[in-house]
Structure formats: C-alpha cells, structure tokens
Amino acid sequence: MISVSTIFFSFFSAVALLLSSYIVYYVIIAPRFNPLRKLAGPPLNGPLHNHMSPVLDPFRSPKTHAAYVEKYGRNVRIRGLGPWDERLLPLDPVSVAHVLKNSTIYEKPWQSRRLITSLIGCGMLAAEGHVHKRQRRVATPAFSIQNMRALVPLVFSKGEELKDKWMNMSQTAKEGQVASEKQTSGQVEIDVCHWISRATFDVIGLAGFDYHFNAIQNESDELFAAYKEMFEIALSQGDGVRTVLGIYFPILNSLFPDKRAKTVYRCQETIRRVAGKLVQQKKSRIMDGEKSGSAYTGKDLLSLLLKSNIATDLPPDQRISDEDILHNINTFMFAGSDTTSLALTWTFLLLAKHPDLQARLRTELLSIVPTTPISRLSPEEIESLHNTLQNLPYLNNVCRESLRLVPPVHSSLRVATQDDEIPVSYPVHLSDGTISEQKSISVSKGSFVHVPVEAFNLDKGMWGPNAWDFDPDRWDHLSEDVLSLPGLYSNLLTFSAGPRSCIGMRFSMIEMKTFLYILLTTFTFAETDKRIYKANVVLTRPYVSGQFKKGSQCPLIVTPLESIATS
C-alpha cells in the first residue's frame, strides 16, 4: 500500500519538476529564439549584467543614447533585468509612433501596473484594455477646453497666494538683514521644488475635488500629508530591491511590511477615509440636484467625473464604480501635482542658469501686466489675461524648451501582448555586423519595448548639435525631422502620444504658464552655490548633491523685483 508521505513526495516532486522546467525554458531556451537577438546592441560584461543604469540615469542617458545611435542604429537591443529579458530600445520615430499608437498591442507590463495600483489604485495610469477605455471615456468631458478655462481664476488665485507667501519670506529676510546691518536686498534662498509642489497640491485639491489643502500656508492637513508622504517618501526613499521583491511577491508586504509598506498602508487608509467621504458627499449633492431639478454646479474634476458617469447617453455597462472614481482622483493628484511642479521647478532652474533669457522672458511678461492688481480682476478679466498669456511667443518657446530638455517622465515601458512587426524608417543594424534595409522588426509576445522619452527630446540627429542646450529660439525654426516626430504636444514625447497620451495636458500648461507669469513678474531667480543634479526616481527629480535622503530639493536665490529697482 502506498503511504501518504509517498504520495505527497511524488506530488511535490512533480510540481518542482514542472516549475524547474518552466524556469529553464523561460530563462535559457526561449531567449535563444527571441528575434530581438538578431539586432545589434551594446555588449554585456557577464550573464547578470544589464543596461538599465546607463539607459535610465538622466546624468548618463543622453550620452548613452547618442552612443547607441552612432554604433547600433536607431533600433537597439538592450538587456533588462535578467538574461531572459531582451528589450527593444527604439530611437526611430516611426517605430515609437507605432508602439504608442497601438496601445492594445503594447501595454504597460503587469509589473508596472502592480506597482502603480499598490500606491494609487487602478486608475487611468494603471488600467489597460477595456477598463482604461471606459475610464478615459468617462473622464474626457471633464478635461474639455471649456471646463479647463473655468479653472483659470483658481490657478491665478493660488499663484498670487504663493507670490504673497514668498514676499513675506523676503520681507522677513530683509528685516533680518537690517538687524544685522547687512545689505537690505530682501533676497532669500527658497526651495522652489518644495514650495511649488505645495502650490500645485493646492491647485489640484480645489480643481480635482473642491478640497482646500491650504498647503501654501501650512502642511497640517491630514489628506495633504498622506498624499505628500506617499508620493515623496514611499516612492523616492524606498529600497529598490525590496520594492522589486514586493512587486513579484506582494505577500511579502502583507506578512513582513517594511517602513515603506507601512507608510503606504497608513497613507492609503487616510486617503480612503477622507477622499472616499468626499466622493460620497459630491455624489449625494449631484443626486439631490437631479431630484430637485436644480443641477449641482460644481466645476471640480470629481463633480464633472461623477456627472459624466451618470449621463443618460452613457450605457450602464460603460459606467465606472465609486472605487474607480477614487482611484482616478488619486491618479489626478499624482499626475496633476507632481509632474507639473517638477516641470515648473526645472524651468525656474534653467532660467536661473540663463539670466539673460530670464530677463528677456520677464520683459515679454511685464508687457501684458494689467494696471489693476490680479486680486481685483473679475473672472472674465482673468480669463482675458490668460488668453493673452497663452499666445505670448517667447513664453511658449520657453515652456516647450524646458519640457523638451527635462521631461518629468524620463522613459516608459511597454510589453507586446502578441507577436508583431514594428515598422522602421532607418536601416537596421544587426548583431552580425551587417546593416539591413528591412522594413520592420519582429517582436515576439512578452518582449519589452523601452520608450525613451528623454532620448527623443534630446536627439541631436533630430534637434541639431545644440540639442542638449537650453535654447528657446530653436522653436522659431524647426527642421522637417522635428516636425515629423510623434507627440501630443509640440512634437515632444513629454506628454506621450496615442490613446494613452496625457489627458491633463491642457490643465498642466495653464498651471505652468500662469505660475511663470505671476512669479517672474515679481521676482528674479538665481543659482545658489549648491549643486543640483537630476535623478530618475519614478519622475525626473532635482536633488542637492550629498543630500539625496532629504528628498527632492531645488534651492534658488529669490529676490523681489522692487528691491532691485530701489537698490
């Protein structure tokens, strides 16, 4: 008679054999038949070596991408996290356009989606397929041109509030200088990254769900603290190895939560409690308005999202749940505050590095300053001022050049959900040293495609030999090569392209131009003696050399224009 222990041993032996066979096939056999192995690519120093660091590190990536194009052409094979992970790095505009256009064939990998979902839920950043399509359809009306214009006075008011806060900081510094018998210029060192982040949180709080964080004045609001801590500490200060292990083995975070996991859980609980209550309150107001015949007039994104979700022309099977609504509010908070604040921070740093260009932009902005203070303008007058602002040529050039030079999203990753042929417009360099005139590249199901956003924006073959320089005037004479590049905004990949391009691009540009207008017509910005460097920590963030653990920082010398005029 066969014993129970023998049966269990046989069962586990069979499972172990199947698992071992799968690993051997996946790690050793399958990669040998990957068509990407036919492409030329940089060498490896060993079986465990990969190319992720030089490709992802913004300090090294511009030179890395340029060297790859010169040596291996515009479709390059690179090694990912293991010997089984051969990736395509496309630097051919036709190839990238194909990948971004066909979002059902090239999706975000499950690893990326699990990481995003574990933080902010399955909103539009993490959703794929019909779920993403349904969420996008419900959200699109909220981001119409008309609805975005309605938010302009709100953005101006927060820009004015930040200006006043900085003026108070300058006045305090000036009083201290008088007391110590120093020069009374009123200049003060301000961490622009920190303060603009607080302001954009305020903006998205009101624009997103009519919630007052009051972050410019203080950082005591519990919902603000939850979002801020999760975005900054959990993302920027987490342990890379543990984060990867948590993605592949999520049970680890439940059984043995580290400091990062505990922070995320605590923040998520606050967000579910406070933001979840806001969703229900908004929903009740809208339903009450429907019953009474007096429609609720809220213009925040949450109200518009909820209204769109119950619209009579939307089939019931296309509506999204309250949980999805909350996940997308979290997505708006992340994408609407972090990315825009970083874009503004890098713009101020670039202008501080180029005082002549800063002065030129300020002259253009001062030319449209109304005689009446902004605080006393009507909403219609503010909208008129914004319309004029939107059409300023040099401001447009500076914004586009800053977003080109330092895109907040350094790169993106896609995975092929089926075998595909990616078209090419340049000769293909092969691993045997030959150059092929083939019209496409074969990609097998499961292969990763690394979309190099920064590399396209800095490509000297497209943008010219000064592609790595800050030159706003380049936008007055773009080449045909640049005009053929894919991109939602000004032939740049900064806001991506295709069906998954940034839905909030218009709102981001409203914020960016408004804050530049208000702050540059009030202050000058200069560099400190601290070295600022770029690091790719989910987004491209500024750090002070030797102070990475302190988080993102960008200290600048800020001086009121009135102090300069009277000195």
Side-chain angles (χ1 to χ4, degrees):
M1 183 176 179
I2 301 175
S3 66
V4 175
S5 60
T6 302
I7 295 174
F8 272 103
F9 178 78
S10 299
F11 173 76
F12 284 112
S13 296
V15 170
L17 179 61
L18 286 173
L19 184 60
S20 299
S21 299
Y22 175 78
I23 292 173
V24 169
Y25 173 78
Y26 185 72
V27 175
I28 299 175
I29 299 175
R32 295 180 180 276
F33 297 96
N34 190 330
L36 293 180
R37 289 173 65 92
K38 297 178 182 179
L39 296 179
L44 293 162
N45 297 328
L48 299 180
H49 182 250
N50 64 65
H51 302 112
M52 293 296 92
S53 180
V55 167
L56 293 174
D57 179 4
F59 180 74
R60 303 164 61 191
S61 54
K63 291 182 180 179
T64 297
H65 291 130
Y68 284 0
V69 169
E70 183 178 351
K71 294 180 181 178
Y72 312 113
R74 288 194 168 271
N75 278 287
V76 184
R77 170 184 48 80
I78 60 173
R79 171 67 59 82
L81 297 179
W84 61 88
D85 187 6
E86 299 288 356
R87 301 184 180 186
L88 175 64
L89 176 65
L91 295 149
D92 182 325
V94 170
S95 303
V96 170
H98 175 83
V99 170
L100 295 177
K101 178 182 178 181
N102 293 282
S103 60
T104 57
I105 299 176
Y106 297 95
E107 296 183 345
K108 288 186 177 180
W110 67 264
Q111 296 92 332
S112 301
R113 288 185 278 128
R114 178 171 287 178
L115 175 62
I116 295 169
T117 301
S118 70
L119 292 169
I120 59 177
C122 191
M124 277 186 285
L125 274 180
E128 287 290 351
H130 71 280
V131 176
H132 177 268
K133 186 176 181 180
R134 186 169 68 243
Q135 291 185 2
R136 181 115 183 177
R137 179 178 178 182
V138 171
T140 295
F143 289 89
S144 68
I145 295 176
Q146 180 180 359
N147 286 330
M148 291 299 97
R149 284 175 179 167
L151 297 174
V152 167
L154 183 158
V155 180
F156 266 82
S157 70
K158 284 298 174 181
E160 283 287 294
E161 187 179 343
L162 180 63
K163 178 198 74 175
D164 292 341
K165 187 71 174 180
W166 284 5
M167 285 297 290
N168 289 338
M169 294 166 66
S170 171
Q171 184 61 33
T172 300
K174 189 173 183 179
E175 291 169 358
Q177 291 166 352
V178 171
S180 60
E181 298 183 352
K182 294 181 179 179
Q183 183 181 359
T184 58
S185 65
Q187 67 177 214
V188 60
E189 182 177 303
I190 291 178
D191 182 357
V192 170
C193 183
H194 172 75
W195 281 98
I196 289 183
S197 177
R198 288 169 66 164
T200 54
F201 258 101
D202 268 359
V203 170
I204 199 63
L206 288 168
F209 40 89
D210 195 24
Y211 184 84
H212 292 266
F213 286 122
N214 289 320
I216 293 176
Q217 300 305 324
N218 60 72
E219 298 178 279
S220 61
D221 182 86
E222 62 172 338
L223 186 58
F224 168 77
Y227 277 122
K228 189 68 177 173
E229 192 172 10
M230 187 167 69
F231 294 162
E232 177 66 30
I233 297 176
L235 290 177
S236 302
Q237 307 299 318
D239 180 270
V241 174
R242 177 58 193 259
T243 300
V244 171
L245 287 174
I247 292 172
Y248 283 90
F249 308 102
I251 195 171
L252 282 176
N253 290 331
S254 298
L255 296 177
F256 310 104
D258 60 357
K259 182 179 178 181
R260 174 189 176 277
K262 291 177 181 178
T263 298
V264 170
Y265 292 150
R266 177 168 46 80
C267 293
Q268 287 176 335
E269 174 57 32
T270 300
I271 291 168
R272 277 192 295 269
R273 175 171 51 82
V274 181
K277 184 178 179 181
L278 289 172
V279 171
Q280 295 307 316
Q281 288 174 343
K282 287 286 184 184
K283 196 172 181 181
S284 295
R285 290 178 186 175
I286 292 171
M287 298 304 293
D288 290 344
E290 291 286 324
K291 293 177 183 177
S292 66
S294 177
Y296 179 62
T297 58
K299 296 295 183 182
D300 55 281
L301 298 178
L302 174 57
S303 297
L304 297 171
L305 199 62
L306 289 168
K307 289 177 185 177
S308 174
N309 199 41
I310 63 172
T312 55
D313 61 344
L314 185 69
D317 63 340
Q318 292 297 309
R319 291 172 183 167
I320 61 179
S321 67
D322 288 351
E323 185 178 24
D324 287 336
I325 294 283
L326 179 57
H327 291 166
N328 277 296
I329 288 298
N330 290 344
T331 299
F332 299 155
M333 285 301 306
F334 173 70
S337 63
D338 234 18
T339 53
T340 304
S341 69
L342 288 170
L344 275 164
T345 297
W346 288 118
T347 304
F348 280 114
L349 179 60
L350 288 167
L351 292 171
K353 288 176 176 289
H354 299 84
D356 55 329
L357 303 184
Q358 181 184 158
R360 179 177 166 188
L361 175 58
R362 182 176 293 106
T363 298
E364 181 182 71
L365 296 174
L366 287 170
S367 70
I368 66 164
V369 172
T371 55
T372 303
I374 291 177
S375 59
R376 287 161 49 191
L377 294 178
S378 67
E380 293 75 20
E381 290 171 325
I382 288 177
E383 186 173 337
S384 176
L385 174 60
H386 177 260
N387 290 338
T388 304
L389 188 67
Q390 287 288 86
N391 295 316
L392 292 180
Y394 197 64
L395 176 62
N396 279 333
N397 287 357
V398 167
C399 289
R400 289 184 290 188
E401 183 68 353
S402 174
L403 291 167
R404 181 193 71 84
L405 203 58
V406 194
V409 178
H410 179 273
S411 53
S412 185
L413 194 62
R414 296 290 184 269
V415 63
T417 60
Q418 64 185 54
D419 294 348
D420 190 37
E421 293 290 323
I422 296 181
V424 299
S425 59
Y426 287 83
V428 177
H429 293 234
L430 302 178
S431 57
D432 61 6
T434 61
I435 298 177
S436 171
E437 295 295 331
Q438 63 194 64
K439 301 300 181 183
S440 65
I441 292 171
S442 298
V443 174
S444 57
K445 180 181 178 179
S447 294
F448 287 141
V449 179
H450 186 91
V451 181
V453 175
E454 181 207 60
F456 260 83
N457 289 0
L458 301 183
D459 193 328
K460 291 186 177 182
M462 305 290 177
W463 296 92
N466 71 336
W468 299 355
D469 299 334
F470 182 62
D471 179 17
D473 287 324
R474 78 172 71 248
W475 292 91
D476 293 330
H477 43 79
L478 296 178
S479 67
E480 290 298 321
D481 287 337
V482 168
L483 293 174
S484 67
L485 292 175
L488 175 67
Y489 174 75
S490 297
N491 303 100
L492 298 172
L493 284 183
T494 303
F495 291 99
S496 193
R500 294 196 65 102
S501 59
C502 177
I503 194 172
M505 185 267 290
R506 287 194 189 99
F507 185 61
S508 179
M509 294 311 301
I510 288 172
E511 283 188 277
M512 194 169 179
K513 290 185 176 180
T514 300
F515 275 74
L516 286 171
Y517 166 72
I518 291 173
L519 298 176
L520 281 170
T521 54
T522 310
F523 306 100
T524 64
F525 297 83
E527 292 182 276
T528 67
D529 57 358
K530 299 172 183 175
R531 189 177 76 85
I532 308 297
Y533 70 95
K534 294 184 287 185
N536 182 8
V537 187
V538 181
L539 300 172
T540 302
R541 303 175 185 275
Y543 292 88
V544 173
S545 181
Q547 299 181 20
F548 180 78
K549 285 297 182 180
K550 291 185 177 181
S552 304
Q553 297 181 84
C554 185
L556 295 176
I557 300 298
V558 179
T559 308
L561 280 177
E562 61 184 33
S563 298
I564 297 173
T566 57
S567 62

Coordinates of all heavy atoms in Angstrom, one line a residue, residues 138 282-283 285-290 303-316 318-320 322 325:
V138 N -15.3 58.2 -19.6 CA -16.0 58.9 -18.6 C -15.3 60.2 -18.2 O -15.9 61.2 -17.9 CB -16.2 58.0 -17.3 CG1 -16.7 58.8 -16.2 CG2 -17.1 56.8 -17.6
K282 N -20.1 64.4 -2.8 CA -20.3 65.0 -4.1 C -21.4 64.2 -4.8 O -22.3 64.8 -5.5 CB -19.0 64.9 -4.9 CG -18.0 65.9 -4.5 CD -18.3 67.3 -5.0 CE -17.2 68.3 -4.6 NZ -17.5 69.7 -5.0
K283 N -21.4 62.9 -4.7 CA -22.4 62.1 -5.3 C -23.8 62.4 -4.8 O -24.7 62.5 -5.6 CB -22.1 60.6 -5.1 CG -22.8 59.7 -6.0 CD -22.2 58.2 -5.8 CE -22.9 57.3 -6.7 NZ -22.4 55.9 -6.5
R285 N -24.8 65.3 -3.5 CA -25.2 66.6 -4.0 C -25.7 66.6 -5.4 O -26.7 67.2 -5.7 CB -24.0 67.6 -3.9 CG -23.6 68.0 -2.4 CD -22.4 68.9 -2.4 NE -22.0 69.2 -1.1 CZ -20.9 69.9 -0.8 NH1 -20.1 70.4 -1.8 NH2 -20.5 70.0 0.5
I286 N -25.0 65.8 -6.2 CA -25.4 65.7 -7.6 C -26.8 65.0 -7.7 O -27.7 65.4 -8.5 CB -24.4 64.9 -8.4 CG1 -23.1 65.8 -8.5 CG2 -24.9 64.6 -9.8 CD1 -21.9 65.0 -9.1
M287 N -27.0 63.9 -6.9 CA -28.3 63.2 -7.0 C -29.4 64.1 -6.4 O -30.5 64.1 -7.0 CB -28.1 61.9 -6.1 CG -27.1 60.9 -6.7 SD -27.4 60.5 -8.4 CE -28.9 59.6 -8.3
D288 N -29.1 64.9 -5.3 CA -30.1 65.8 -4.8 C -30.5 66.8 -5.8 O -31.7 67.2 -5.9 CB -29.6 66.4 -3.5 CG -29.5 65.5 -2.4 OD1 -30.0 64.4 -2.4 OD2 -28.7 65.8 -1.4
G289 N -29.5 67.3 -6.6 CA -29.8 68.3 -7.6 C -30.7 67.7 -8.7 O -31.5 68.4 -9.2
E290 N -30.4 66.5 -9.1 CA -31.2 65.8 -10.1 C -32.7 65.7 -9.6 O -33.6 65.9 -10.4 CB -30.6 64.4 -10.4 CG -29.3 64.4 -11.1 CD -29.4 64.8 -12.5 OE1 -30.3 64.4 -13.2 OE2 -28.4 65.4 -13.0
S303 N -16.7 66.4 -9.5 CA -18.1 66.6 -9.8 C -18.3 66.3 -11.3 O -19.3 65.7 -11.7 CB -18.4 68.1 -9.5 OG -18.3 68.4 -8.2
L304 N -17.4 66.8 -12.2 CA -17.6 66.6 -13.6 C -17.5 65.1 -14.0 O -18.2 64.6 -14.8 CB -16.6 67.4 -14.4 CG -16.7 68.9 -14.3 CD1 -15.5 69.6 -14.9 CD2 -18.0 69.4 -14.9
L305 N -16.6 64.4 -13.3 CA -16.5 62.9 -13.5 C -17.7 62.2 -13.0 O -18.2 61.3 -13.8 CB -15.3 62.5 -12.7 CG -14.6 61.1 -13.0 CD1 -14.0 61.2 -14.5 CD2 -13.5 60.8 -12.1
L306 N -18.3 62.6 -11.9 CA -19.5 61.9 -11.4 C -20.7 62.2 -12.3 O -21.5 61.3 -12.6 CB -19.8 62.4 -10.0 CG -18.8 61.8 -8.9 CD1 -19.0 62.6 -7.6 CD2 -19.0 60.3 -8.7
K307 N -20.8 63.5 -12.8 CA -21.9 63.8 -13.7 C -21.7 63.0 -15.0 O -22.7 62.5 -15.5 CB -21.8 65.3 -14.0 CG -22.2 66.2 -12.8 CD -22.1 67.7 -13.2 CE -22.4 68.6 -12.1 NZ -22.1 70.0 -12.4
S308 N -20.5 63.0 -15.5 CA -20.3 62.2 -16.8 C -20.7 60.7 -16.6 O -21.2 60.1 -17.5 CB -18.9 62.3 -17.2 OG -18.6 61.5 -18.3
N309 N -20.4 60.2 -15.4 CA -20.6 58.8 -15.1 C -22.1 58.4 -15.1 O -22.5 57.3 -15.2 CB -19.9 58.4 -13.8 CG -19.7 56.9 -13.7 OD1 -19.3 56.3 -14.7 ND2 -19.9 56.4 -12.5
I310 N -23.0 59.4 -14.8 CA -24.4 59.1 -14.7 C -25.2 59.7 -15.9 O -26.4 59.7 -15.9 CB -25.0 59.7 -13.4 CG1 -24.9 61.2 -13.3 CG2 -24.4 59.0 -12.2 CD1 -25.6 61.8 -12.1
A311 N -24.4 60.2 -16.9 CA -25.1 60.8 -18.0 C -26.0 59.8 -18.7 O -25.7 58.6 -18.8 CB -24.0 61.3 -19.0
T312 N -27.1 60.3 -19.2 CA -28.1 59.4 -19.8 C -27.6 58.8 -21.1 O -28.0 57.7 -21.5 CB -29.4 60.1 -20.1 OG1 -29.1 61.3 -20.9 CG2 -30.0 60.6 -18.8
D313 N -26.6 59.4 -21.8 CA -26.1 58.9 -23.1 C -25.0 57.9 -22.8 O -24.4 57.4 -23.8 CB -25.7 60.0 -24.0 CG -24.6 60.8 -23.4 OD1 -24.3 60.7 -22.2 OD2 -23.9 61.6 -24.1
L314 N -24.7 57.6 -21.6 CA -23.6 56.6 -21.3 C -24.3 55.3 -20.9 O -25.0 55.2 -19.9 CB -22.7 57.1 -20.1 CG -21.5 56.3 -19.8 CD1 -20.5 56.3 -20.9 CD2 -20.9 56.7 -18.5
P315 N -24.0 54.2 -21.7 CA -24.6 52.9 -21.4 C -24.2 52.5 -20.0 O -23.1 52.7 -19.5 CB -24.1 52.0 -22.5 CG -23.6 52.9 -23.6 CD -23.2 54.2 -22.9
P316 N -25.1 51.8 -19.3 CA -24.8 51.4 -17.9 C -23.5 50.5 -17.8 O -22.8 50.6 -16.8 CB -26.0 50.5 -17.5 CG -27.1 51.1 -18.3 CD -26.5 51.5 -19.6
Q318 N -20.9 50.9 -19.4 CA -19.7 51.7 -19.6 C -19.4 52.6 -18.4 O -18.4 53.4 -18.4 CB -19.9 52.6 -20.8 CG -20.0 51.9 -22.1 CD -18.6 51.1 -22.4 OE1 -17.6 51.7 -22.4 NE2 -18.7 49.9 -22.7
R319 N -20.2 52.6 -17.4 CA -20.0 53.4 -16.2 C -19.0 52.8 -15.3 O -18.7 51.6 -15.4 CB -21.3 53.6 -15.4 CG -22.3 54.5 -16.2 CD -23.7 54.6 -15.6 NE -24.5 55.4 -16.5 CZ -25.8 55.4 -16.4 NH1 -26.5 54.8 -15.4 NH2 -26.5 56.2 -17.2
I320 N -18.4 53.6 -14.4 CA -17.3 53.1 -13.5 C -17.7 53.2 -12.1 O -18.6 53.9 -11.7 CB -16.0 53.9 -13.8 CG1 -16.1 55.3 -13.4 CG2 -15.5 53.7 -15.2 CD1 -14.9 56.2 -13.6
D322 N -17.6 53.6 -7.8 CA -17.1 54.6 -6.9 C -15.6 54.4 -6.6 O -14.8 55.3 -6.4 CB -17.9 54.6 -5.6 CG -19.3 55.2 -5.8 OD1 -19.5 55.7 -6.9 OD2 -20.1 55.1 -4.9
I325 N -13.6 55.7 -9.4 CA -13.6 57.2 -9.3 C -12.5 57.6 -8.3 O -11.7 58.5 -8.6 CB -15.0 57.7 -8.7 CG1 -16.1 57.4 -9.8 CG2 -14.9 59.2 -8.4 CD1 -16.2 58.4 -10.9

